[in-house]
Amino acid sequence: MRLSLSVLLVSLALCCYEANAVVCPSLAIDLSGFLFTIDSVYKLQLQKYVAPQEVVEAKLQVKQCTNEISFGNRVLITETLGKILFKCGYNDLSNLLS
């Protein structure tokens, strides 16, 4: 399975696990940052979750793989994610798509 499809499926699972779920804005911003933010800045953003260091390193390893996705495809993934989030009840897409 292609990595971009995997990211999209995980996003769907996290955002729309039930029909009337409302997406947490920080999750939407985190997913967008995962695709577009440089690794050092993203690592700083992850500190707000107070996750164990091995978890942060594992997420950064996956991020290094997603960094290989072309910019155009990352934009397409983000636009698709925006549509998914909108259907799941997240109405303020300006934070996600900025």
Side-chain angles (χ1 to χ4, degrees):
M1 186 181 328
R2 295 184 59 144
L3 181 60
S4 57
L5 181 59
S6 299
V7 171
L8 186 60
L9 291 175
V10 169
S11 300
L12 274 171
L14 291 173
C15 297
C16 298
Y17 64 94
E18 59 182 60
N20 62 354
V22 176
V23 178
C24 174
S26 64
L27 174 65
I29 293 168
D30 182 64
L31 289 172
S32 179
F34 183 74
L35 291 171
F36 292 105
T37 306
I38 60 173
D39 292 353
S40 58
V41 174
Y42 189 68
K43 186 174 182 177
L44 292 173
Q45 291 176 347
L46 290 176
Q47 289 179 350
K48 67 182 173 189
Y49 298 114
V50 193
Q53 188 60 32
E54 59 270 6
V55 173
V56 171
E57 293 302 323
K59 187 154 185 175
L60 289 173
Q61 283 181 342
V62 175
K63 182 170 177 9
Q64 289 174 357
C65 292
T66 60
N67 290 343
E68 301 298 319
I69 300 172
S70 71
F71 181 79
N73 285 340
R74 285 187 274 166
V75 169
L76 289 173
I77 291 169
T78 304
E79 289 174 351
T80 304
L81 178 60
K83 291 176 184 177
I84 292 167
L85 293 175
F86 186 74
K87 284 194 174 213
C88 291
Y90 185 70
N91 295 318
D92 186 14
L93 294 178
S94 60
N95 285 332
L96 175 66
L97 299 176
S98 62

mmCIF file of all heavy atoms in Angstrom, residues 54-87:
data_model
loop_
_atom_site.group_PDB
_atom_site.id
_atom_site.type_symbol
_atom_site.label_atom_id
_atom_site.label_comp_id
_atom_site.label_asym_id
_atom_site.label_seq_id
_atom_site.Cartn_x
_atom_site.Cartn_y
_atom_site.Cartn_z
ATOM 1 N N GLU A 54 10.684 7.831 22.875
ATOM 2 C CA GLU A 54 10.688 6.802 21.825
ATOM 3 C C GLU A 54 9.478 6.938 20.909
ATOM 4 O O GLU A 54 9.553 6.640 19.711
ATOM 5 C CB GLU A 54 10.800 5.392 22.398
ATOM 6 C CG GLU A 54 9.696 4.998 23.351
ATOM 7 C CD GLU A 54 9.979 5.318 24.799
ATOM 8 O OE1 GLU A 54 10.992 5.967 25.107
ATOM 9 O OE2 GLU A 54 9.157 4.923 25.643
ATOM 10 N N VAL A 55 8.365 7.412 21.430
ATOM 11 C CA VAL A 55 7.172 7.639 20.610
ATOM 12 C C VAL A 55 7.405 8.820 19.668
ATOM 13 O O VAL A 55 7.055 8.765 18.487
ATOM 14 C CB VAL A 55 5.934 7.868 21.501
ATOM 15 C CG1 VAL A 55 4.726 8.261 20.672
ATOM 16 C CG2 VAL A 55 5.640 6.631 22.332
ATOM 17 N N VAL A 56 8.007 9.879 20.191
ATOM 18 C CA VAL A 56 8.314 11.052 19.371
ATOM 19 C C VAL A 56 9.280 10.663 18.257
ATOM 20 O O VAL A 56 9.085 11.032 17.091
ATOM 21 C CB VAL A 56 8.905 12.191 20.234
ATOM 22 C CG1 VAL A 56 9.421 13.327 19.372
ATOM 23 C CG2 VAL A 56 7.867 12.692 21.219
ATOM 24 N N GLU A 57 10.300 9.884 18.588
ATOM 25 C CA GLU A 57 11.273 9.459 17.574
ATOM 26 C C GLU A 57 10.608 8.572 16.515
ATOM 27 O O GLU A 57 10.919 8.676 15.330
ATOM 28 C CB GLU A 57 12.450 8.732 18.228
ATOM 29 C CG GLU A 57 13.308 9.630 19.095
ATOM 30 C CD GLU A 57 13.901 10.813 18.345
ATOM 31 O OE1 GLU A 57 14.275 10.664 17.171
ATOM 32 O OE2 GLU A 57 13.963 11.908 18.949
ATOM 33 N N ALA A 58 9.684 7.713 16.928
ATOM 34 C CA ALA A 58 8.981 6.854 15.964
ATOM 35 C C ALA A 58 8.136 7.703 15.017
ATOM 36 O O ALA A 58 8.114 7.456 13.806
ATOM 37 C CB ALA A 58 8.106 5.841 16.704
ATOM 38 N N LYS A 59 7.462 8.708 15.561
ATOM 39 C CA LYS A 59 6.638 9.572 14.708
ATOM 40 C C LYS A 59 7.517 10.367 13.747
ATOM 41 O O LYS A 59 7.157 10.561 12.587
ATOM 42 C CB LYS A 59 5.778 10.516 15.554
ATOM 43 C CG LYS A 59 4.805 11.299 14.707
ATOM 44 C CD LYS A 59 3.597 11.731 15.460
ATOM 45 C CE LYS A 59 2.633 12.402 14.502
ATOM 46 N NZ LYS A 59 1.387 12.765 15.100
ATOM 47 N N LEU A 60 8.680 10.796 14.208
ATOM 48 C CA LEU A 60 9.595 11.526 13.323
ATOM 49 C C LEU A 60 10.162 10.624 12.232
ATOM 50 O O LEU A 60 10.420 11.088 11.116
ATOM 51 C CB LEU A 60 10.715 12.177 14.139
ATOM 52 C CG LEU A 60 10.282 13.366 14.987
ATOM 53 C CD1 LEU A 60 11.416 13.822 15.887
ATOM 54 C CD2 LEU A 60 9.793 14.510 14.116
ATOM 55 N N GLN A 61 10.341 9.337 12.532
ATOM 56 C CA GLN A 61 10.786 8.403 11.490
ATOM 57 C C GLN A 61 9.723 8.270 10.400
ATOM 58 O O GLN A 61 10.038 8.258 9.215
ATOM 59 C CB GLN A 61 11.090 7.028 12.083
ATOM 60 C CG GLN A 61 12.404 6.958 12.812
ATOM 61 C CD GLN A 61 12.670 5.573 13.357
ATOM 62 O OE1 GLN A 61 11.753 4.745 13.489
ATOM 63 N NE2 GLN A 61 13.918 5.314 13.698
ATOM 64 N N VAL A 62 8.469 8.179 10.808
ATOM 65 C CA VAL A 62 7.386 8.119 9.816
ATOM 66 C C VAL A 62 7.309 9.425 9.045
ATOM 67 O O VAL A 62 7.119 9.436 7.830
ATOM 68 C CB VAL A 62 6.034 7.797 10.502
ATOM 69 C CG1 VAL A 62 4.892 7.858 9.501
ATOM 70 C CG2 VAL A 62 6.093 6.437 11.169
ATOM 71 N N LYS A 63 7.515 10.553 9.737
ATOM 72 C CA LYS A 63 7.488 11.854 9.072
ATOM 73 C C LYS A 63 8.576 11.956 8.012
ATOM 74 O O LYS A 63 8.374 12.548 6.956
ATOM 75 C CB LYS A 63 7.625 12.993 10.084
ATOM 76 C CG LYS A 63 7.558 14.358 9.398
ATOM 77 C CD LYS A 63 7.454 15.465 10.351
ATOM 78 C CE LYS A 63 7.459 16.833 9.724
ATOM 79 N NZ LYS A 63 7.368 16.949 8.291
ATOM 80 N N GLN A 64 9.738 11.376 8.272
ATOM 81 C CA GLN A 64 10.804 11.395 7.276
ATOM 82 C C GLN A 64 10.367 10.668 6.005
ATOM 83 O O GLN A 64 10.747 11.061 4.904
ATOM 84 C CB GLN A 64 12.083 10.795 7.847
ATOM 85 C CG GLN A 64 12.728 11.693 8.880
ATOM 86 C CD GLN A 64 13.917 11.065 9.569
ATOM 87 O OE1 GLN A 64 14.252 9.916 9.331
ATOM 88 N NE2 GLN A 64 14.555 11.833 10.444
ATOM 89 N N CYS A 65 9.549 9.645 6.146
ATOM 90 C CA CYS A 65 9.009 8.961 4.965
ATOM 91 C C CYS A 65 8.013 9.862 4.228
ATOM 92 O O CYS A 65 8.030 9.934 3.002
ATOM 93 C CB CYS A 65 8.320 7.662 5.360
ATOM 94 S SG CYS A 65 9.435 6.398 5.976
ATOM 95 N N THR A 66 7.152 10.544 4.981
ATOM 96 C CA THR A 66 6.177 11.405 4.323
ATOM 97 C C THR A 66 6.831 12.633 3.703
ATOM 98 O O THR A 66 6.276 13.227 2.786
ATOM 99 C CB THR A 66 5.067 11.862 5.289
ATOM 100 O OG1 THR A 66 5.642 12.576 6.363
ATOM 101 C CG2 THR A 66 4.267 10.685 5.807
ATOM 102 N N ASN A 67 8.015 12.995 4.180
ATOM 103 C CA ASN A 67 8.741 14.106 3.560
ATOM 104 C C ASN A 67 9.124 13.784 2.122
ATOM 105 O O ASN A 67 9.368 14.687 1.326
ATOM 106 C CB ASN A 67 10.001 14.446 4.359
ATOM 107 C CG ASN A 67 9.701 15.082 5.695
ATOM 108 O OD1 ASN A 67 8.608 15.557 5.930
ATOM 109 N ND2 ASN A 67 10.679 15.086 6.580
ATOM 110 N N GLU A 68 9.152 12.498 1.783
ATOM 111 C CA GLU A 68 9.495 12.068 0.426
ATOM 112 C C GLU A 68 8.329 12.228 -0.548
ATOM 113 O O GLU A 68 8.517 12.132 -1.753
ATOM 114 C CB GLU A 68 9.978 10.612 0.437
ATOM 115 C CG GLU A 68 11.198 10.373 1.309
ATOM 116 C CD GLU A 68 12.419 11.150 0.831
ATOM 117 O OE1 GLU A 68 12.639 11.212 -0.387
ATOM 118 O OE2 GLU A 68 13.131 11.703 1.691
ATOM 119 N N ILE A 69 7.138 12.425 -0.031
ATOM 120 C CA ILE A 69 5.972 12.645 -0.895
ATOM 121 C C ILE A 69 6.121 14.018 -1.541
ATOM 122 O O ILE A 69 6.482 14.990 -0.875
ATOM 123 C CB ILE A 69 4.661 12.572 -0.076
ATOM 124 C CG1 ILE A 69 4.500 11.204 0.580
ATOM 125 C CG2 ILE A 69 3.453 12.885 -0.950
ATOM 126 C CD1 ILE A 69 3.336 11.124 1.552
ATOM 127 N N SER A 70 5.840 14.108 -2.818
ATOM 128 C CA SER A 70 5.986 15.392 -3.511
ATOM 129 C C SER A 70 5.058 16.438 -2.883
ATOM 130 O O SER A 70 4.010 16.106 -2.313
ATOM 131 C CB SER A 70 5.662 15.241 -4.993
ATOM 132 O OG SER A 70 4.281 15.048 -5.184
ATOM 133 N N PHE A 71 5.455 17.711 -3.007
ATOM 134 C CA PHE A 71 4.671 18.800 -2.427
ATOM 135 C C PHE A 71 3.249 18.799 -2.995
ATOM 136 O O PHE A 71 2.275 18.975 -2.254
ATOM 137 C CB PHE A 71 5.347 20.146 -2.688
ATOM 138 C CG PHE A 71 4.608 21.301 -2.088
ATOM 139 C CD1 PHE A 71 4.721 21.584 -0.738
ATOM 140 C CD2 PHE A 71 3.784 22.099 -2.864
ATOM 141 C CE1 PHE A 71 4.035 22.638 -0.164
ATOM 142 C CE2 PHE A 71 3.092 23.162 -2.304
ATOM 143 C CZ PHE A 71 3.220 23.427 -0.953
ATOM 144 N N GLY A 72 3.127 18.588 -4.298
ATOM 145 C CA GLY A 72 1.802 18.564 -4.923
ATOM 146 C C GLY A 72 0.914 17.477 -4.347
ATOM 147 O O GLY A 72 -0.285 17.702 -4.106
ATOM 148 N N ASN A 73 1.488 16.307 -4.111
ATOM 149 C CA ASN A 73 0.701 15.219 -3.533
ATOM 150 C C ASN A 73 0.349 15.493 -2.074
ATOM 151 O O ASN A 73 -0.726 15.120 -1.612
ATOM 152 C CB ASN A 73 1.443 13.892 -3.659
ATOM 153 C CG ASN A 73 1.402 13.348 -5.072
ATOM 154 O OD1 ASN A 73 0.553 13.731 -5.871
ATOM 155 N ND2 ASN A 73 2.329 12.465 -5.396
ATOM 156 N N ARG A 74 1.246 16.169 -1.341
ATOM 157 C CA ARG A 74 0.922 16.534 0.041
ATOM 158 C C ARG A 74 -0.227 17.532 0.070
ATOM 159 O O ARG A 74 -1.080 17.483 0.951
ATOM 160 C CB ARG A 74 2.147 17.089 0.759
ATOM 161 C CG ARG A 74 3.125 15.981 1.143
ATOM 162 C CD ARG A 74 4.242 16.496 1.987
ATOM 163 N NE ARG A 74 5.284 16.999 1.106
ATOM 164 C CZ ARG A 74 6.288 17.760 1.488
ATOM 165 N NH1 ARG A 74 6.379 18.158 2.733
ATOM 166 N NH2 ARG A 74 7.191 18.151 0.625
ATOM 167 N N VAL A 75 -0.248 18.443 -0.899
ATOM 168 C CA VAL A 75 -1.364 19.391 -0.994
ATOM 169 C C VAL A 75 -2.669 18.641 -1.274
ATOM 170 O O VAL A 75 -3.701 18.921 -0.664
ATOM 171 C CB VAL A 75 -1.090 20.463 -2.071
ATOM 172 C CG1 VAL A 75 -2.331 21.289 -2.360
ATOM 173 C CG2 VAL A 75 0.063 21.367 -1.647
ATOM 174 N N LEU A 76 -2.612 17.667 -2.179
ATOM 175 C CA LEU A 76 -3.810 16.867 -2.480
ATOM 176 C C LEU A 76 -4.293 16.102 -1.242
ATOM 177 O O LEU A 76 -5.496 16.025 -0.981
ATOM 178 C CB LEU A 76 -3.524 15.895 -3.624
ATOM 179 C CG LEU A 76 -3.359 16.509 -4.999
ATOM 180 C CD1 LEU A 76 -2.918 15.443 -6.004
ATOM 181 C CD2 LEU A 76 -4.644 17.172 -5.456
ATOM 182 N N ILE A 77 -3.352 15.545 -0.487
ATOM 183 C CA ILE A 77 -3.714 14.830 0.736
ATOM 184 C C ILE A 77 -4.386 15.784 1.720
ATOM 185 O O ILE A 77 -5.403 15.459 2.336
ATOM 186 C CB ILE A 77 -2.475 14.170 1.373
ATOM 187 C CG1 ILE A 77 -1.977 13.022 0.498
ATOM 188 C CG2 ILE A 77 -2.788 13.667 2.782
ATOM 189 C CD1 ILE A 77 -0.619 12.482 0.901
ATOM 190 N N THR A 78 -3.833 16.992 1.855
ATOM 191 C CA THR A 78 -4.396 17.977 2.782
ATOM 192 C C THR A 78 -5.783 18.418 2.340
ATOM 193 O O THR A 78 -6.690 18.571 3.169
ATOM 194 C CB THR A 78 -3.461 19.193 2.904
ATOM 195 O OG1 THR A 78 -2.173 18.731 3.305
ATOM 196 C CG2 THR A 78 -3.977 20.188 3.927
ATOM 197 N N GLU A 79 -5.961 18.625 1.040
ATOM 198 C CA GLU A 79 -7.294 19.002 0.550
ATOM 199 C C GLU A 79 -8.301 17.889 0.800
ATOM 200 O O GLU A 79 -9.436 18.154 1.217
ATOM 201 C CB GLU A 79 -7.225 19.329 -0.942
ATOM 202 C CG GLU A 79 -6.512 20.631 -1.238
ATOM 203 C CD GLU A 79 -6.316 20.877 -2.724
ATOM 204 O OE1 GLU A 79 -6.583 19.964 -3.547
ATOM 205 O OE2 GLU A 79 -5.887 21.989 -3.074
ATOM 206 N N THR A 80 -7.881 16.649 0.581
ATOM 207 C CA THR A 80 -8.763 15.514 0.843
ATOM 208 C C THR A 80 -9.069 15.408 2.326
ATOM 209 O O THR A 80 -10.220 15.177 2.719
ATOM 210 C CB THR A 80 -8.118 14.213 0.340
ATOM 211 O OG1 THR A 80 -7.801 14.355 -1.048
ATOM 212 C CG2 THR A 80 -9.030 13.025 0.535
ATOM 213 N N LEU A 81 -8.062 15.610 3.156
ATOM 214 C CA LEU A 81 -8.263 15.601 4.595
ATOM 215 C C LEU A 81 -9.245 16.690 5.005
ATOM 216 O O LEU A 81 -10.113 16.477 5.857
ATOM 217 C CB LEU A 81 -6.929 15.793 5.316
ATOM 218 C CG LEU A 81 -6.967 15.857 6.832
ATOM 219 C CD1 LEU A 81 -7.532 14.573 7.418
ATOM 220 C CD2 LEU A 81 -5.574 16.122 7.376
ATOM 221 N N GLY A 82 -9.128 17.871 4.381
ATOM 222 C CA GLY A 82 -10.065 18.959 4.665
ATOM 223 C C GLY A 82 -11.497 18.568 4.354
ATOM 224 O O GLY A 82 -12.411 18.860 5.130
ATOM 225 N N LYS A 83 -11.702 17.881 3.232
ATOM 226 C CA LYS A 83 -13.053 17.431 2.875
ATOM 227 C C LYS A 83 -13.572 16.410 3.885
ATOM 228 O O LYS A 83 -14.743 16.432 4.274
ATOM 229 C CB LYS A 83 -13.043 16.833 1.473
ATOM 230 C CG LYS A 83 -12.809 17.861 0.384
ATOM 231 C CD LYS A 83 -12.711 17.206 -0.976
ATOM 232 C CE LYS A 83 -12.369 18.237 -2.044
ATOM 233 N NZ LYS A 83 -12.199 17.629 -3.363
ATOM 234 N N ILE A 84 -12.680 15.513 4.318
ATOM 235 C CA ILE A 84 -13.066 14.499 5.297
ATOM 236 C C ILE A 84 -13.439 15.162 6.619
ATOM 237 O O ILE A 84 -14.461 14.848 7.225
ATOM 238 C CB ILE A 84 -11.922 13.483 5.502
ATOM 239 C CG1 ILE A 84 -11.723 12.656 4.234
ATOM 240 C CG2 ILE A 84 -12.192 12.582 6.698
ATOM 241 C CD1 ILE A 84 -10.445 11.868 4.212
ATOM 242 N N LEU A 85 -12.589 16.095 7.058
ATOM 243 C CA LEU A 85 -12.857 16.775 8.325
ATOM 244 C C LEU A 85 -14.162 17.556 8.274
ATOM 245 O O LEU A 85 -14.919 17.595 9.244
ATOM 246 C CB LEU A 85 -11.697 17.703 8.679
ATOM 247 C CG LEU A 85 -10.371 17.022 9.002
ATOM 248 C CD1 LEU A 85 -9.285 18.056 9.203
ATOM 249 C CD2 LEU A 85 -10.502 16.118 10.206
ATOM 250 N N PHE A 86 -14.442 18.187 7.143
ATOM 251 C CA PHE A 86 -15.683 18.934 6.993
ATOM 252 C C PHE A 86 -16.884 18.008 7.125
ATOM 253 O O PHE A 86 -17.863 18.324 7.807
ATOM 254 C CB PHE A 86 -15.702 19.667 5.656
ATOM 255 C CG PHE A 86 -16.885 20.565 5.492
ATOM 256 C CD1 PHE A 86 -16.968 21.767 6.174
ATOM 257 C CD2 PHE A 86 -17.932 20.206 4.661
ATOM 258 C CE1 PHE A 86 -18.069 22.593 6.034
ATOM 259 C CE2 PHE A 86 -19.034 21.023 4.511
ATOM 260 C CZ PHE A 86 -19.105 22.222 5.195
ATOM 261 N N LYS A 87 -16.802 16.834 6.506
ATOM 262 C CA LYS A 87 -17.909 15.873 6.604
ATOM 263 C C LYS A 87 -18.050 15.327 8.020
ATOM 264 O O LYS A 87 -19.137 14.919 8.424
ATOM 265 C CB LYS A 87 -17.707 14.726 5.622
ATOM 266 C CG LYS A 87 -18.021 15.115 4.212
ATOM 267 C CD LYS A 87 -18.135 13.900 3.331
ATOM 268 C CE LYS A 87 -18.601 14.370 1.969
ATOM 269 N NZ LYS A 87 -19.427 13.416 1.313
#
